[in-house]
Amino acid sequence: MPAPSEPAAPPPPNPVRAGPGWPAAVIAGAYQTGVLGVRSLLRRGVRACCFDCHTDYPGFRSVYGPARACPDPDTDARGWVAFMVALAGELGGKPVLIASADQFVSAIAAHASTLAAHFVLSPGVPLQGLLATKQTQYALAAEHGMPMPRTGLLRSEAEVREFAREARFPCLLKPLHFREWQAFPDGHPLSHEKVVIAPSAEALVEAWRLAAAANPVTIGQEIIEGPDTAKRVYVACYDRGGRRIASAMFRGLRCDPLGFGPATVSEPVRDPETDAVCDGWLRRLGYSGICEIETKRDSRDGRVKLIEANPRLTGGGDAAPYAGVDVCWLHYLDLIGRPVTPVSAEARDFRHIVLRSDVRAILAYRRAGLVSWREVLRSYRGPLAFYDFDPHDWRYSAGTIYRMARSAAGGLLRPRRSALPASMR
């Protein structure tokens, strides 16, 4: 009679702090998302810094900085590459490079052959570069079986009208890159907007005409119908061999703008179907690295559909460490060649809040009759985690309080500016 087999040994725990001589890390991007990536690694004992070409971003004033100012890779690619090579030399060894902004996802992918001699890069960099632009992201979704709403690449007014003939309104218009509309001057109807909501075919045409001044190539898309609570944020990291080493899922409770924006309040949730949809797509792509996928269940057909994928550190992903999944740290461990035991979200009850955006969201939900003050107060019952409030980073936190007060005062006195001109509202 064969002897009973020994029970399998539990997997070894992941390191909790960096060891002596471990490589430095560089976070590409100094928006708050990048600052939080630096904070995550500094707390683990990693030498870490961030950089950006936008010197008004929080990383330049943060206690976790200051960030390094770099040339804009979109307008001075040669200068940016020279900056990167010099930064690697200053830090010594071969630092790990992790992106926190689409602009730098694209720049790293475009110059990966040069950067690889100076930095430790994810093998997923080429695919991440493809996912950083909506055009190729949606093409990869269609090719590899990721459900999504009716979507069209619109390059001319004729194509806009053709899409509108088949589409179900309201529809969205999106730039290929968010930063394309950032370039519009203040006061332009699309300045700093991520999407335009068009209630009719003519409104979609007018929105496209406005967007065409920056780039006539845009994305038209039907909305995914359903409440904001049907949104899910899937946060994950895949190692160099494509194995999932980190995963967490969150449900949106409020969004800004209402119905279409990222979550301003979210909480952990178990959703095996959405997990399988997102994980299956990334595995079919052969994905490696950090990725956040925003989805929503369409109330018309019950299917989970893609809103967008972000192949980098994200604001929504900042909720994951509070659920026991420090995505940035696990990605760093994998890139430096340390074995990583996969980690999934723990059953923790908390809410993750983006304070600056949630003030606007509360006012919008109140005007729409979707939330009571009692429900607002209930959503702020602890435990709480904040994206944009950290007592240790007092400058940015003070700015958050100031902007919350301004948003509250402005929202009570006047409605929020629409992304559409008056003729399209």
Side-chain angles (χ1 to χ4, degrees), residues 16-25 38-48 329 332:
V16 296
R17 287 189 61 80
W22 285 21
V38 172
R39 184 182 73 177
S40 168
L41 295 176
L42 287 175
R43 289 177 172 178
R44 300 285 187 171
V46 179
R47 289 184 299 125
W329 170 242
Y332 170 85

Side-chain angles (χ1 to χ4, degrees), residues 3 13 30 38-39 171 198 242 257 265 335 342 363 378 391 394 416:
V38 172
R39 184 182 73 177
C171 285
V265 180
L335 290 182
L363 295 173
R378 189 181 302 127
W394 61 269
R416 187 184 177 208

Side-chain angles (χ1 to χ4, degrees), residues 96-402:
V96 172
L97 183 58
I98 301 173
S100 69
D102 286 342
Q103 180 177 28
F104 296 114
V105 172
S106 299
I108 293 167
H111 302 284
S113 59
T114 300
L115 296 175
H118 305 276
F119 292 90
V120 177
L121 303 181
S122 167
V125 159
L127 182 55
Q128 292 161 16
L130 295 175
L131 291 176
T133 177
K134 296 291 188 294
Q135 178 180 354
T136 46
Q137 180 181 129
Y138 291 135
L140 287 169
E143 181 181 352
H144 294 275
M146 181 66 178
M148 60 180 180
R150 182 192 297 271
T151 302
L153 182 66
L154 311 179
R155 292 160 291 200
S156 66
E157 184 170 327
E159 290 185 347
V160 177
R161 293 188 180 278
E162 181 180 355
F163 173 81
R165 278 195 292 271
E166 301 293 331
R168 183 171 177 172
F169 284 87
C171 285
L172 305 177
L173 189 76
K174 304 178 181 182
L176 297 183
H177 292 279
F178 167 52
R179 60 186 181 277
E180 290 176 351
W181 291 1
Q182 281 185 311
F184 283 125
D186 290 342
H188 189 283
L190 302 184
S191 176
H192 293 274
E193 296 291 345
K194 290 189 175 182
V195 300
V196 168
I197 306 162
S200 66
E202 286 307 311
L204 186 65
V205 171
E206 188 173 345
W208 178 85
R209 289 172 180 163
L210 288 168
N215 184 353
V217 185
T218 58
I219 299 291
Q221 193 172 68
E222 291 185 345
I223 69 167
I224 306 172
E225 293 191 4
D228 285 339
T229 51
K231 290 185 177 181
R232 299 290 185 267
V233 178
Y234 171 83
V235 180
C237 183
Y238 295 77
D239 70 11
R240 291 166 297 169
R243 179 184 60 134
R244 186 167 71 171
I245 57 174
S247 62
M249 182 82 67
F250 301 92
R251 173 176 64 176
L253 300 181
R254 284 193 292 274
C255 299
D256 178 47
L258 192 160
F260 300 98
T264 64
V265 180
S266 59
E267 63 184 9
V269 67
R270 290 187 57 81
D271 188 333
E273 181 182 354
T274 300
D275 180 272
V277 168
C278 295
D279 180 50
W281 181 51
L282 292 177
R283 289 181 188 275
R284 290 191 294 274
L285 288 175
Y287 192 81
S288 176
I290 294 170
C291 194
E292 174 197 270
I293 302 178
E294 295 180 46
T295 70
K296 186 176 180 180
R297 187 179 297 277
D298 196 321
S299 60
R300 290 172 295 184
D301 59 16
R303 299 182 70 198
V304 173
K305 296 180 181 178
L306 173 70
I307 298 175
E308 67 176 7
N310 296 298
R312 52 175 173 80
L313 295 173
T314 62
D318 176 59
Y322 300 99
V325 184
D326 193 340
V327 176
C328 191
W329 170 242
L330 296 171
H331 185 46
Y332 170 85
L333 290 175
D334 174 60
L335 290 182
I336 66 171
R338 304 287 301 188
V340 179
T341 297
V343 177
S344 57
E346 299 172 3
R348 297 184 179 179
D349 179 21
F350 69 91
R351 290 184 176 87
H352 183 257
I353 298 175
V354 184
L355 286 168
R356 298 185 186 207
S357 302
D358 196 42
V359 173
R360 294 192 299 266
I362 290 169
L363 295 173
Y365 279 65
R366 288 283 300 158
R367 286 194 294 268
L370 295 176
V371 69
S372 67
W373 286 118
R374 182 188 296 271
E375 290 168 326
V376 170
L377 292 174
R378 189 181 302 127
S379 69
Y380 274 78
R381 289 178 182 170
L384 302 175
F386 297 101
Y387 168 74
D388 50 359
F389 185 84
D390 176 355
H392 299 288
D393 205 354
W394 61 269
R395 289 188 187 91
Y396 189 70
S397 297
T400 292
I401 300 300
Y402 173 72

